[in-house]
Amino acid sequence: MYDKVMESVEFINKQINIKPKIAVILGSGLGNLTNFIDNATEINYKSIPHFPQSTVIGHKGQLVAGNIGEKEIFVMDGRFHYYEGYSMREVTYPIYVFKKLGIEKIIISNAAGGINETFSNGTLMIIRDFINLFGTNPLIGTNDERFGSRFPDMTNPFSEKLIVLAKKIAVDFGIKYSEGTYLGTTGPSFETVAEIKMMKTFGADAVGMSTVPEVIISNYLGLEVLGISCITNMATGLSKVSHSHQNVIKEAKKIEHDFCLWISEIIKNI
Ligand code: HPA
């Protein structure tokens, strides 16, 4: 895997003449952040050696390199989900590539269902902690010490420094936010009423089908992580309407403006 990662890195480096230290992964329906990028170079995932392909509607499947303000960044417009049939290694492959490209900080976003009953459609949640309910772990398998240690610590998977910055920017720009625990599960079926009740007793505030594998690998590789959930619907049993991916995209689009403003200002001030 190490050699594959280095081939992907070499290919990407040939397409760009910048050296970003910040990367962003965009959740479903949140791709508009790419419009905030100056001097953008778009690299289709298909063209990158060893990169998996994105198959979900609302996810474009391109890596965008460029500037937001003075800061150089990479943005992943489209991510890889476990429910698409990728292995955990494939789901998290781009994080390994980011590390070897020189990334130090990563902002990981998602669309999620609200479990905390103080939330509603459009709530932006800073992720303070996570629960891994994927039933597996992206680090299972032989460990390559060139990437990280066998048993990475998860006491603080999200950077307190980045959380403090995110809160300050939110206050400065009048963006409302909440904080909570994100529970990651495989999907692709939405949760049952009984499952949401269980997740609530577990201490989850939001549920989604991504992010957890990427956060685990980011910590393993020593990246500082900021996690943001966009609540696109209240979870099963807490919502009067049934769920659909179209609805998730539609609701994400409504939050996109605040989300993009927030993330771009965080990046400028990192
Ligand atoms: N459940 C799981 N994933 C989601 C949801 C949900 O309710 N909404 C958006 N992603």
Side-chain angles (χ1 to χ4, degrees), residues 91-116:
V91 167
T92 54
Y93 184 81
I95 316 289
Y96 291 88
V97 173
F98 280 148
K99 171 70 182 182
K100 292 297 170 190
L101 281 164
I103 292 300
E104 294 171 357
K105 296 179 171 68
I106 187 160
I107 301 174
I108 304 181
S109 68
N110 57 60
I115 296 177
N116 183 323

PDB file of all heavy atoms in Angstrom, residues 91-116:
ATOM      1  N   VAL A  91     -11.720   3.097   1.557  1.00  0.00           N
ATOM      2  CA  VAL A  91     -12.472   4.244   2.084  1.00  0.00           C
ATOM      3  C   VAL A  91     -11.508   5.313   2.607  1.00  0.00           C
ATOM      4  O   VAL A  91     -11.719   6.511   2.436  1.00  0.00           O
ATOM      5  CB  VAL A  91     -13.439   3.792   3.210  1.00  0.00           C
ATOM      6  CG1 VAL A  91     -13.997   4.975   3.982  1.00  0.00           C
ATOM      7  CG2 VAL A  91     -14.582   2.949   2.631  1.00  0.00           C
ATOM      8  N   THR A  92     -10.430   4.854   3.244  1.00  0.00           N
ATOM      9  CA  THR A  92      -9.517   5.783   3.911  1.00  0.00           C
ATOM     10  C   THR A  92      -8.257   6.071   3.096  1.00  0.00           C
ATOM     11  O   THR A  92      -7.391   6.826   3.545  1.00  0.00           O
ATOM     12  CB  THR A  92      -9.105   5.220   5.289  1.00  0.00           C
ATOM     13  OG1 THR A  92      -8.580   3.891   5.115  1.00  0.00           O
ATOM     14  CG2 THR A  92     -10.301   5.160   6.231  1.00  0.00           C
ATOM     15  N   TYR A  93      -8.173   5.505   1.900  1.00  0.00           N
ATOM     16  CA  TYR A  93      -6.967   5.660   1.071  1.00  0.00           C
ATOM     17  C   TYR A  93      -6.564   7.128   0.875  1.00  0.00           C
ATOM     18  O   TYR A  93      -5.382   7.470   1.005  1.00  0.00           O
ATOM     19  CB  TYR A  93      -7.186   4.961  -0.284  1.00  0.00           C
ATOM     20  CG  TYR A  93      -5.979   4.982  -1.175  1.00  0.00           C
ATOM     21  CD1 TYR A  93      -4.945   4.072  -1.003  1.00  0.00           C
ATOM     22  CD2 TYR A  93      -5.851   5.944  -2.184  1.00  0.00           C
ATOM     23  CE1 TYR A  93      -3.818   4.103  -1.809  1.00  0.00           C
ATOM     24  CE2 TYR A  93      -4.734   5.986  -2.993  1.00  0.00           C
ATOM     25  CZ  TYR A  93      -3.721   5.063  -2.798  1.00  0.00           C
ATOM     26  OH  TYR A  93      -2.598   5.105  -3.601  1.00  0.00           O
ATOM     27  N   PRO A  94      -7.536   8.025   0.572  1.00  0.00           N
ATOM     28  CA  PRO A  94      -7.146   9.429   0.347  1.00  0.00           C
ATOM     29  C   PRO A  94      -6.459  10.077   1.554  1.00  0.00           C
ATOM     30  O   PRO A  94      -5.646  10.981   1.385  1.00  0.00           O
ATOM     31  CB  PRO A  94      -8.482  10.131   0.063  1.00  0.00           C
ATOM     32  CG  PRO A  94      -9.384   9.044  -0.432  1.00  0.00           C
ATOM     33  CD  PRO A  94      -8.976   7.819   0.336  1.00  0.00           C
ATOM     34  N   ILE A  95      -6.767   9.614   2.758  1.00  0.00           N
ATOM     35  CA  ILE A  95      -6.154  10.215   3.955  1.00  0.00           C
ATOM     36  C   ILE A  95      -4.654   9.893   3.977  1.00  0.00           C
ATOM     37  O   ILE A  95      -3.826  10.746   4.320  1.00  0.00           O
ATOM     38  CB  ILE A  95      -6.820   9.704   5.257  1.00  0.00           C
ATOM     39  CG1 ILE A  95      -8.341   9.685   5.150  1.00  0.00           C
ATOM     40  CG2 ILE A  95      -6.351  10.521   6.467  1.00  0.00           C
ATOM     41  CD1 ILE A  95      -9.003  11.023   5.141  1.00  0.00           C
ATOM     42  N   TYR A  96      -4.312   8.676   3.608  1.00  0.00           N
ATOM     43  CA  TYR A  96      -2.899   8.294   3.520  1.00  0.00           C
ATOM     44  C   TYR A  96      -2.190   9.167   2.479  1.00  0.00           C
ATOM     45  O   TYR A  96      -1.068   9.618   2.684  1.00  0.00           O
ATOM     46  CB  TYR A  96      -2.759   6.824   3.106  1.00  0.00           C
ATOM     47  CG  TYR A  96      -3.212   5.816   4.148  1.00  0.00           C
ATOM     48  CD1 TYR A  96      -4.534   5.390   4.225  1.00  0.00           C
ATOM     49  CD2 TYR A  96      -2.299   5.271   5.041  1.00  0.00           C
ATOM     50  CE1 TYR A  96      -4.949   4.458   5.163  1.00  0.00           C
ATOM     51  CE2 TYR A  96      -2.687   4.326   5.987  1.00  0.00           C
ATOM     52  CZ  TYR A  96      -4.021   3.933   6.038  1.00  0.00           C
ATOM     53  OH  TYR A  96      -4.422   3.008   6.974  1.00  0.00           O
ATOM     54  N   VAL A  97      -2.885   9.395   1.361  1.00  0.00           N
ATOM     55  CA  VAL A  97      -2.306  10.222   0.290  1.00  0.00           C
ATOM     56  C   VAL A  97      -2.113  11.659   0.796  1.00  0.00           C
ATOM     57  O   VAL A  97      -1.065  12.265   0.583  1.00  0.00           O
ATOM     58  CB  VAL A  97      -3.189  10.177  -0.980  1.00  0.00           C
ATOM     59  CG1 VAL A  97      -2.690  11.155  -2.038  1.00  0.00           C
ATOM     60  CG2 VAL A  97      -3.226   8.753  -1.543  1.00  0.00           C
ATOM     61  N   PHE A  98      -3.117  12.173   1.495  1.00  0.00           N
ATOM     62  CA  PHE A  98      -3.003  13.536   2.054  1.00  0.00           C
ATOM     63  C   PHE A  98      -1.777  13.640   2.961  1.00  0.00           C
ATOM     64  O   PHE A  98      -1.026  14.598   2.901  1.00  0.00           O
ATOM     65  CB  PHE A  98      -4.257  13.904   2.857  1.00  0.00           C
ATOM     66  CG  PHE A  98      -5.428  14.346   2.015  1.00  0.00           C
ATOM     67  CD1 PHE A  98      -6.730  14.085   2.420  1.00  0.00           C
ATOM     68  CD2 PHE A  98      -5.230  15.061   0.845  1.00  0.00           C
ATOM     69  CE1 PHE A  98      -7.820  14.509   1.658  1.00  0.00           C
ATOM     70  CE2 PHE A  98      -6.307  15.491   0.079  1.00  0.00           C
ATOM     71  CZ  PHE A  98      -7.598  15.212   0.487  1.00  0.00           C
ATOM     72  N   LYS A  99      -1.615  12.661   3.819  1.00  0.00           N
ATOM     73  CA  LYS A  99      -0.492  12.692   4.763  1.00  0.00           C
ATOM     74  C   LYS A  99       0.832  12.819   3.997  1.00  0.00           C
ATOM     75  O   LYS A  99       1.680  13.653   4.316  1.00  0.00           O
ATOM     76  CB  LYS A  99      -0.510  11.416   5.612  1.00  0.00           C
ATOM     77  CG  LYS A  99       0.713  11.216   6.484  1.00  0.00           C
ATOM     78  CD  LYS A  99       0.769  12.218   7.632  1.00  0.00           C
ATOM     79  CE  LYS A  99       2.040  12.008   8.468  1.00  0.00           C
ATOM     80  NZ  LYS A  99       2.069  12.932   9.603  1.00  0.00           N
ATOM     81  N   LYS A 100       0.962  12.011   2.949  1.00  0.00           N
ATOM     82  CA  LYS A 100       2.225  12.011   2.201  1.00  0.00           C
ATOM     83  C   LYS A 100       2.343  13.225   1.278  1.00  0.00           C
ATOM     84  O   LYS A 100       3.436  13.522   0.784  1.00  0.00           O
ATOM     85  CB  LYS A 100       2.374  10.692   1.422  1.00  0.00           C
ATOM     86  CG  LYS A 100       2.581   9.494   2.334  1.00  0.00           C
ATOM     87  CD  LYS A 100       3.886   9.627   3.122  1.00  0.00           C
ATOM     88  CE  LYS A 100       4.016   8.576   4.206  1.00  0.00           C
ATOM     89  NZ  LYS A 100       5.151   8.858   5.118  1.00  0.00           N
ATOM     90  N   LEU A 101       1.229  13.912   1.040  1.00  0.00           N
ATOM     91  CA  LEU A 101       1.275  15.177   0.290  1.00  0.00           C
ATOM     92  C   LEU A 101       1.695  16.339   1.200  1.00  0.00           C
ATOM     93  O   LEU A 101       1.878  17.454   0.738  1.00  0.00           O
ATOM     94  CB  LEU A 101      -0.093  15.486  -0.333  1.00  0.00           C
ATOM     95  CG  LEU A 101      -0.457  14.742  -1.625  1.00  0.00           C
ATOM     96  CD1 LEU A 101      -1.958  14.849  -1.889  1.00  0.00           C
ATOM     97  CD2 LEU A 101       0.328  15.251  -2.818  1.00  0.00           C
ATOM     98  N   GLY A 102       1.770  16.073   2.498  1.00  0.00           N
ATOM     99  CA  GLY A 102       2.202  17.113   3.438  1.00  0.00           C
ATOM    100  C   GLY A 102       1.086  17.753   4.246  1.00  0.00           C
ATOM    101  O   GLY A 102       1.302  18.749   4.943  1.00  0.00           O
ATOM    102  N   ILE A 103      -0.113  17.160   4.175  1.00  0.00           N
ATOM    103  CA  ILE A 103      -1.243  17.707   4.946  1.00  0.00           C
ATOM    104  C   ILE A 103      -1.003  17.519   6.449  1.00  0.00           C
ATOM    105  O   ILE A 103      -0.556  16.456   6.891  1.00  0.00           O
ATOM    106  CB  ILE A 103      -2.567  17.021   4.511  1.00  0.00           C
ATOM    107  CG1 ILE A 103      -2.934  17.423   3.079  1.00  0.00           C
ATOM    108  CG2 ILE A 103      -3.712  17.326   5.487  1.00  0.00           C
ATOM    109  CD1 ILE A 103      -3.154  18.903   2.860  1.00  0.00           C
ATOM    110  N   GLU A 104      -1.323  18.571   7.213  1.00  0.00           N
ATOM    111  CA  GLU A 104      -1.173  18.518   8.675  1.00  0.00           C
ATOM    112  C   GLU A 104      -2.512  18.616   9.397  1.00  0.00           C
ATOM    113  O   GLU A 104      -2.668  18.137  10.514  1.00  0.00           O
ATOM    114  CB  GLU A 104      -0.271  19.682   9.142  1.00  0.00           C
ATOM    115  CG  GLU A 104       1.161  19.534   8.638  1.00  0.00           C
ATOM    116  CD  GLU A 104       2.010  20.769   8.889  1.00  0.00           C
ATOM    117  OE1 GLU A 104       1.490  21.780   9.411  1.00  0.00           O
ATOM    118  OE2 GLU A 104       3.200  20.707   8.524  1.00  0.00           O
ATOM    119  N   LYS A 105      -3.487  19.313   8.731  1.00  0.00           N
ATOM    120  CA  LYS A 105      -4.793  19.516   9.361  1.00  0.00           C
ATOM    121  C   LYS A 105      -5.873  19.103   8.376  1.00  0.00           C
ATOM    122  O   LYS A 105      -5.771  19.411   7.182  1.00  0.00           O
ATOM    123  CB  LYS A 105      -4.983  20.984   9.728  1.00  0.00           C
ATOM    124  CG  LYS A 105      -4.007  21.480  10.777  1.00  0.00           C
ATOM    125  CD  LYS A 105      -4.226  22.953  11.071  1.00  0.00           C
ATOM    126  CE  LYS A 105      -3.405  23.395  12.260  1.00  0.00           C
ATOM    127  NZ  LYS A 105      -1.943  23.396  11.983  1.00  0.00           N
ATOM    128  N   ILE A 106      -6.928  18.463   8.894  1.00  0.00           N
ATOM    129  CA  ILE A 106      -7.994  18.014   7.998  1.00  0.00           C
ATOM    130  C   ILE A 106      -9.361  18.347   8.593  1.00  0.00           C
ATOM    131  O   ILE A 106      -9.590  18.147   9.796  1.00  0.00           O
ATOM    132  CB  ILE A 106      -7.836  16.502   7.674  1.00  0.00           C
ATOM    133  CG1 ILE A 106      -8.845  16.060   6.614  1.00  0.00           C
ATOM    134  CG2 ILE A 106      -7.930  15.623   8.910  1.00  0.00           C
ATOM    135  CD1 ILE A 106      -8.461  14.777   5.901  1.00  0.00           C
ATOM    136  N   ILE A 107     -10.215  18.906   7.741  1.00  0.00           N
ATOM    137  CA  ILE A 107     -11.587  19.214   8.147  1.00  0.00           C
ATOM    138  C   ILE A 107     -12.480  18.171   7.490  1.00  0.00           C
ATOM    139  O   ILE A 107     -12.493  18.052   6.260  1.00  0.00           O
ATOM    140  CB  ILE A 107     -11.991  20.639   7.714  1.00  0.00           C
ATOM    141  CG1 ILE A 107     -11.039  21.673   8.330  1.00  0.00           C
ATOM    142  CG2 ILE A 107     -13.446  20.934   8.120  1.00  0.00           C
ATOM    143  CD1 ILE A 107     -11.260  23.108   7.856  1.00  0.00           C
ATOM    144  N   ILE A 108     -13.185  17.391   8.307  1.00  0.00           N
ATOM    145  CA  ILE A 108     -13.998  16.293   7.788  1.00  0.00           C
ATOM    146  C   ILE A 108     -15.466  16.620   8.050  1.00  0.00           C
ATOM    147  O   ILE A 108     -15.869  16.804   9.202  1.00  0.00           O
ATOM    148  CB  ILE A 108     -13.591  14.951   8.431  1.00  0.00           C
ATOM    149  CG1 ILE A 108     -12.090  14.698   8.203  1.00  0.00           C
ATOM    150  CG2 ILE A 108     -14.435  13.812   7.882  1.00  0.00           C
ATOM    151  CD1 ILE A 108     -11.560  13.381   8.779  1.00  0.00           C
ATOM    152  N   SER A 109     -16.250  16.716   6.984  1.00  0.00           N
ATOM    153  CA  SER A 109     -17.657  17.099   7.130  1.00  0.00           C
ATOM    154  C   SER A 109     -18.568  15.974   6.662  1.00  0.00           C
ATOM    155  O   SER A 109     -18.142  15.062   5.949  1.00  0.00           O
ATOM    156  CB  SER A 109     -17.942  18.377   6.343  1.00  0.00           C
ATOM    157  OG  SER A 109     -17.836  18.136   4.959  1.00  0.00           O
ATOM    158  N   ASN A 110     -19.812  16.064   7.059  1.00  0.00           N
ATOM    159  CA  ASN A 110     -20.791  15.065   6.635  1.00  0.00           C
ATOM    160  C   ASN A 110     -22.203  15.608   6.774  1.00  0.00           C
ATOM    161  O   ASN A 110     -22.424  16.605   7.462  1.00  0.00           O
ATOM    162  CB  ASN A 110     -20.650  13.776   7.469  1.00  0.00           C
ATOM    163  CG  ASN A 110     -20.790  14.034   8.953  1.00  0.00           C
ATOM    164  OD1 ASN A 110     -21.822  14.518   9.406  1.00  0.00           O
ATOM    165  ND2 ASN A 110     -19.755  13.740   9.715  1.00  0.00           N
ATOM    166  N   ALA A 111     -23.112  14.930   6.109  1.00  0.00           N
ATOM    167  CA  ALA A 111     -24.539  15.120   6.352  1.00  0.00           C
ATOM    168  C   ALA A 111     -24.924  14.054   7.371  1.00  0.00           C
ATOM    169  O   ALA A 111     -24.443  12.927   7.289  1.00  0.00           O
ATOM    170  CB  ALA A 111     -25.326  14.924   5.066  1.00  0.00           C
ATOM    171  N   ALA A 112     -25.757  14.412   8.338  1.00  0.00           N
ATOM    172  CA  ALA A 112     -26.071  13.442   9.390  1.00  0.00           C
ATOM    173  C   ALA A 112     -27.510  13.600   9.858  1.00  0.00           C
ATOM    174  O   ALA A 112     -28.140  14.648   9.661  1.00  0.00           O
ATOM    175  CB  ALA A 112     -25.114  13.624  10.568  1.00  0.00           C
ATOM    176  N   GLY A 113     -28.012  12.562  10.491  1.00  0.00           N
ATOM    177  CA  GLY A 113     -29.336  12.600  11.098  1.00  0.00           C
ATOM    178  C   GLY A 113     -29.221  13.052  12.550  1.00  0.00           C
ATOM    179  O   GLY A 113     -28.295  12.634  13.257  1.00  0.00           O
ATOM    180  N   GLY A 114     -30.122  13.892  12.987  1.00  0.00           N
ATOM    181  CA  GLY A 114     -30.077  14.408  14.355  1.00  0.00           C
ATOM    182  C   GLY A 114     -30.740  13.457  15.334  1.00  0.00           C
ATOM    183  O   GLY A 114     -31.884  13.040  15.123  1.00  0.00           O
ATOM    184  N   ILE A 115     -30.027  13.116  16.388  1.00  0.00           N
ATOM    185  CA  ILE A 115     -30.587  12.276  17.456  1.00  0.00           C
ATOM    186  C   ILE A 115     -30.888  13.137  18.681  1.00  0.00           C
ATOM    187  O   ILE A 115     -31.888  12.942  19.369  1.00  0.00           O
ATOM    188  CB  ILE A 115     -29.605  11.130  17.813  1.00  0.00           C
ATOM    189  CG1 ILE A 115     -29.431  10.198  16.599  1.00  0.00           C
ATOM    190  CG2 ILE A 115     -30.092  10.352  19.033  1.00  0.00           C
ATOM    191  CD1 ILE A 115     -28.438   9.068  16.806  1.00  0.00           C
ATOM    192  N   ASN A 116     -30.008  14.093  18.945  1.00  0.00           N
ATOM    193  CA  ASN A 116     -30.223  15.058  20.042  1.00  0.00           C
ATOM    194  C   ASN A 116     -31.482  15.872  19.723  1.00  0.00           C
ATOM    195  O   ASN A 116     -31.570  16.511  18.669  1.00  0.00           O
ATOM    196  CB  ASN A 116     -28.994  15.963  20.128  1.00  0.00           C
ATOM    197  CG  ASN A 116     -29.073  16.944  21.274  1.00  0.00           C
ATOM    198  OD1 ASN A 116     -30.133  17.474  21.589  1.00  0.00           O
ATOM    199  ND2 ASN A 116     -27.943  17.188  21.894  1.00  0.00           N
TER     200      ASN A 116
END
